[in-house]
Amino acid sequence: MNLEISHLRLPLDAFALELDAALAARVTGLFGASGAGKTSLLETIAGLRHPPDGRICLNGVVLTDARARIFQPPENRGIGFVPQDVALFTHLNVRENLCYSQRSRARVTGPGISYEHVVEVLNIGPLAARRIGSLSGGEKQRVAFGRALLAAPQLLLLDEPLASLDTELKDQIMPYLAKIRDEFQIPMLLVSHNADELVALCDEVLVLEAGRCVRRGSPAELFIASPRPHHVLAKAADRSPVTSGPV
């Protein structure tokens, strides 16, 4: 993957999201406090926000160029997006939700991915006839992953996919995220407040603060283990844990 974000500026309520970055890792994490601009960045890449300044290119294709007045709609970007609320269609059953992305995508821009393959990897075949309202939180999350994959994306955007789940469900879903990473070879941009998730899944992490990238590196460079036992963000200078403010 080659995702180029140049001179991006998106005004938000308390600050402006500003970013210049070239991303090429298999899985890139976005880490930071609530309201740092992580979700807004995903939505901008997905085409759900229209920035007044900046340029976004994915694998050489211009998705957004404010100066040139280029703005590809979300369905033409070759991007799969799983928002925090998963956004499944409650009037459709699981199979219909999964197949919707295949029917609705304007063009296949990524590798061909079959329904059977997705269902097998995510273990959602037995859920096919069930209504969305009857699913558990973990089941809904797996269905949302599957629907995004079946759009054959070049890039998968995951906005805090485990945030609404309890610890037991998180432990159940984490292996499926690893399977998606390893089985489908689709680059991912993953938002999380949980350092352990980023350490387990990501090759690179960007730390956002008030709309700007303040640190960038591998999980091993940015996080250290703490006695809880969980990983925490290390101070830039001495790698001692940061204890002020939420992580």
Side-chain angles (χ1 to χ4, degrees), residues 47-67:
L48 301 177
R49 288 179 179 261
H50 201 149
D53 299 292
R55 191 171 190 265
I56 302 173
C57 297
L58 177 60
N59 296 333
V61 177
V62 178
L63 304 180
T64 297
D65 190 326
R67 180 172 295 181

Side-chain angles (χ1 to χ4, degrees), residues 5-198:
I5 303 171
S6 306
H7 308 297
L8 177 66
R9 186 178 188 277
L10 177 71
L12 301 173
D13 289 341
F15 53 81
L17 173 64
E18 298 180 351
L19 186 65
D20 275 278
L23 306 179
R26 181 174 59 159
V27 182
T28 301
L30 297 177
F31 184 80
S34 296
K38 304 180 302 297
T39 295
S40 297
L41 177 57
L42 288 197
E43 291 173 345
T44 302
I45 295 169
L48 301 177
R49 288 179 179 261
H50 201 149
D53 299 292
R55 191 171 190 265
I56 302 173
C57 297
L58 177 60
N59 296 333
V61 177
V62 178
L63 304 180
T64 297
D65 190 326
R67 180 172 295 181
R69 297 184 179 180
I70 296 172
F71 186 82
Q72 295 288 347
E75 64 271 18
N76 289 347
R77 292 189 171 221
I79 291 175
F81 182 34
V82 180
Q84 292 182 31
D85 62 359
V86 301
L88 295 171
F89 299 118
T90 56
H91 64 289
L92 302 178
N93 65 23
V94 168
R95 182 182 181 89
E96 290 166 339
N97 266 276
L98 291 170
C99 293
Y100 182 86
S101 58
Q102 290 180 308
R103 296 196 309 266
S104 64
R105 71 177 185 262
R107 56 192 175 95
V108 176
T109 55
I113 298 176
S114 71
Y115 175 89
E116 291 75 17
H117 191 188
V118 168
V119 165
E120 178 184 0
V121 170
L122 297 177
N123 192 27
I124 50 180
L127 307 178
R130 287 176 56 182
R131 309 296 292 188
I132 299 303
S134 72
L135 302 180
S136 69
E139 289 169 339
K140 289 178 182 177
Q141 202 68 60
R142 283 185 283 149
V143 172
F145 294 157
R147 189 177 66 177
L149 288 169
L150 285 168
Q154 294 185 75
L155 173 64
L156 194 58
L157 308 178
L158 304 175
D159 191 5
E160 298 195 61
L162 306 181
S164 63
L165 306 179
D166 61 31
T167 300
E168 183 178 355
L169 282 177
K170 286 182 181 181
D171 291 341
Q172 294 175 13
I173 296 299
M174 275 290 286
Y176 289 105
L177 284 171
K179 282 185 178 181
I180 291 171
R181 178 195 62 194
D182 299 335
E183 186 76 18
F184 297 103
Q185 299 294 310
I186 296 173
M188 294 191 288
L189 200 54
L190 170 68
V191 167
S192 179
H193 288 287
N194 189 307
D196 290 341
E197 294 169 13
L198 299 177

